[in-house]
């Protein structure tokens, strides 16, 4: 077979689609990356502490009810417009409890090995606490405040996503599984029109270099991050003690182009 024939014979990248989010994308690391299901929760409960966090009960319930990621699946079907419409409907239904709408944009991924089961996971979602911080400086008038509240919670849900955890079983590390999880996470949120993807990392040796290899910028320990790109006003959030932010910004109108 000639070199040209070999190149043509290579398998094309699997599409960024709702069906592949549900059933999984095969990855060079020998795993399938897919959305988590209720039956995966026991494995996730063992993996997530490796990242120094836990799975909140409300997120467990959202995964069990197949609510987590519902808006993202709409976006994979119909683009950013469909994603925004899905969330707008949820905010209209849950105006007094916007967390229920935010859960529709939560992404819980697993890396599944054909012989060893779930060996990695990623959890990301729009951080409602960041929107809550912005609600404290809204106009005083009832009507103006209600409209501003609606705008802030919607902007927080459609523009900002936080990577809460990337965890890989110790025996499976250094095989590219964490990178594969991050790549799919980035592609899905960019496809749905997000502007900023970020996380906060502890002072673990090597983490900064890992995120830089995945295309993220890494800030100094304790440095604040400006939320102007998302909310249209200069306001800062702070990482936890000894933590530092890592982030990727995506200009409005960015679309997934693979990689």
């Amino acid at each position: 077979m000639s070199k040209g024939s070999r190149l043509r014979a290579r398998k094309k990248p699997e599409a960024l689609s709702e069906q592949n989010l549900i059933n999984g994308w095969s990855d060079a690391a020998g795993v399938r990356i897919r959305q988590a299901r209720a039956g995966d929760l026991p494995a996730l409960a063992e993996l997530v502490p490796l990242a120094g966090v836990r799975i909140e009960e409300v997120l467990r319930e959202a995964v069990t009810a197949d609510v987590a990621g519902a808006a993202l699946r709409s976006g994979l079907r119909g683009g950013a417009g469909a994603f925004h419409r899905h969330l707008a409907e949820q905010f209209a239904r849950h105006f007094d409890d916007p967390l229920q709408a935010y859960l529709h944009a939560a992404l819980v991924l697993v890396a599944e090995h054909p012989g060893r089961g779930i060996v990695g996971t990623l959890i990301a979602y729009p951080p409602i606490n960041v929107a809550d911080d912005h609600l404290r400086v809204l106009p005083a008038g009832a009507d103006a405040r209600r409209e501003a509240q609606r705008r802030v919670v919607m902007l927080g849900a459609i523009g900002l996503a936080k990577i809460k955890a990337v965890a890989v079983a110790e025996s499976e590390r250094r095989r590219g599984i964490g990178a594969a999880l991050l790549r799919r996470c980035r592609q899905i949120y960019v496809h749905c029109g997000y502007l900023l993807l970020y996380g906060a990392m502890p002072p673990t040796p090597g983490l900064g270099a890992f995120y830089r290899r995945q295309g993220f910028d890494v800030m100094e320990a304790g440095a604040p991050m400006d939320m102007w790109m998302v909310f249209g006003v200069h306001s800062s959030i702070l990482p936890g003690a000894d933590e530092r932010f890592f982030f990727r910004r995506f200009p409005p109108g960015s679309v997934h182009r693979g990689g």
Side-chain angles (χ1 to χ4, degrees):
M1 181 183 290
S2 68
K3 182 177 179 181
S5 297
R6 287 196 302 270
L7 290 174
R8 287 192 295 272
R10 287 179 181 175
K11 186 178 180 181
K12 293 182 179 179
E14 293 175 276
L16 189 67
S17 68
E18 178 188 19
Q19 203 59 39
N20 280 337
L21 174 59
I22 295 169
N23 295 328
W25 295 273
S26 59
D27 188 81
V31 296
R32 291 192 73 79
I33 305 295
R34 61 169 174 80
Q35 186 177 43
R37 306 164 186 153
D40 301 323
L41 287 171
L44 267 61
E46 293 184 8
L47 283 169
V48 169
L50 296 175
V53 298
R54 62 180 181 84
I55 306 176
E56 299 94 331
E57 186 59 31
V58 68
L59 186 57
R60 285 176 175 269
E61 294 172 356
V63 170
T64 300
D66 202 26
V67 166
L72 300 174
R73 295 195 298 270
S74 292
L76 291 177
R77 287 197 305 271
F83 168 74
H84 292 164
R85 286 192 296 275
H86 183 113
L87 274 186
E89 292 169 0
Q90 294 305 313
F91 279 120
R93 188 174 302 168
H94 302 290
F95 183 81
D96 294 325
D97 187 11
L99 174 59
Q100 299 306 313
Y102 271 60
L103 288 169
H104 285 244
L107 183 63
V108 184
L109 296 176
V110 296
E112 184 174 29
H113 188 277
R116 296 188 285 275
I118 305 302
V119 296
T121 186
L122 178 148
I123 297 174
Y125 45 63
I128 194 169
N129 62 300
V130 175
D132 285 342
D133 288 343
H134 284 74
L135 295 179
R136 299 173 186 171
V137 294
L138 294 183
D143 290 342
R145 184 177 179 83
R146 185 176 179 85
E147 181 56 35
Q149 180 180 5
R150 190 190 308 274
R151 179 175 179 274
V152 165
V153 296
M154 189 66 178
L155 286 175
I158 68 175
L160 178 68
K162 180 178 183 179
I163 298 170
K164 176 69 177 287
V166 180
V168 177
E170 293 183 11
S171 61
E172 305 296 325
R173 293 177 183 175
R174 302 187 184 280
R175 295 180 49 222
I177 294 174
L181 288 162
L182 277 169
R183 182 168 59 252
R184 288 303 179 188
C185 171
R186 182 184 73 244
Q187 290 172 347
I188 290 166
Y189 278 117
V190 171
H191 184 86
C192 290
Y194 276 74
L195 302 173
L196 180 62
L197 181 63
Y198 82 104
M201 72 174 74
T204 303
L207 268 185
F210 167 74
Y211 282 108
R212 288 189 184 98
R213 287 196 299 270
Q214 314 318 316
F216 287 83
D217 291 312
V218 178
M219 302 179 70
E220 294 297 323
M225 182 181 297
D226 193 343
M227 291 287 105
W228 179 87
M229 185 176 186
V230 176
F231 295 103
V233 294
H234 288 290
S235 58
S236 295
I237 60 173
L238 290 169
D242 298 323
E243 290 184 334
R244 49 182 171 161
F245 288 129
F246 59 93
F247 68 91
R248 284 191 69 162
R249 293 191 176 104
F250 307 103
S254 296
V255 294
H256 163 64
R257 293 187 175 87

